[in-house]
Amino acid sequence: MPTKKSNTSKATKKTNAAAGKRKPNISQPRPARKVTTEAAPTWALIKTYFTPAEVTCMLNNSQGQIDLSSCASVVANAQNIYDHVSKGIMPPGNPWPPEWVNNFYTWMNNNPTCS
């Protein structure tokens, strides 16, 4: 069976190479892209981040002003809570993983609701 010759001449190949037209090197990995298709976190997720012991501790340390089991209280104090969890200060001895911190940040900056 005869082999097909390419329609591209040697002169065209040289011209393309001289003009900087090269085939892409597909062996090099592409830069990673973070594609998020998930909806913003909800209170149903965020409330699971606070353990009963942490709720009690915060109630005691804030003289009852911050109730981590109450969405309204967490919304009202969201920036303060975020400042502490993002620095690893809260909860003491058991800082949140980065994903939780990011979820909390996203939740508090996307018109958080308590439903």
Side-chain angles (χ1 to χ4, degrees):
M1 180 176 208
T3 58
K4 256 187 170 177
K5 286 191 173 184
S6 171
N7 289 338
T8 308
S9 70
K10 287 182 181 180
T12 303
K13 287 180 184 176
K14 285 181 182 177
T15 304
N16 286 345
K21 296 179 184 177
R22 295 183 294 172
K23 290 184 180 180
N25 182 352
I26 58 173
S27 65
Q28 293 180 346
R30 293 180 184 258
R33 290 187 197 165
K34 185 174 182 178
V35 178
T36 303
T37 57
E38 298 175 16
T42 63
W43 172 245
L45 174 66
I46 298 302
K47 70 181 178 181
T48 67
Y49 296 170
F50 303 111
T51 67
E54 293 163 357
V55 171
T56 301
C57 180
M58 185 56 74
L59 280 169
N60 291 335
N61 289 336
S62 69
Q63 291 78 42
Q65 296 299 308
I66 301 175
D67 180 359
L68 298 176
S69 67
S70 162
C71 179
S73 180
V74 173
V75 168
N77 295 285
Q79 186 62 55
N80 188 27
I81 294 167
Y82 174 76
D83 290 343
H84 285 77
V85 297
S86 66
K87 293 174 185 169
I89 298 168
M90 187 178 112
N94 191 20
W96 283 3
E99 181 182 8
W100 289 17
V101 174
N102 292 337
N103 283 345
F104 189 84
Y105 180 84
T106 300
W107 176 76
M108 75 176 211
N109 285 298
N110 282 285
N111 299 316
T113 60
C114 297
S115 54

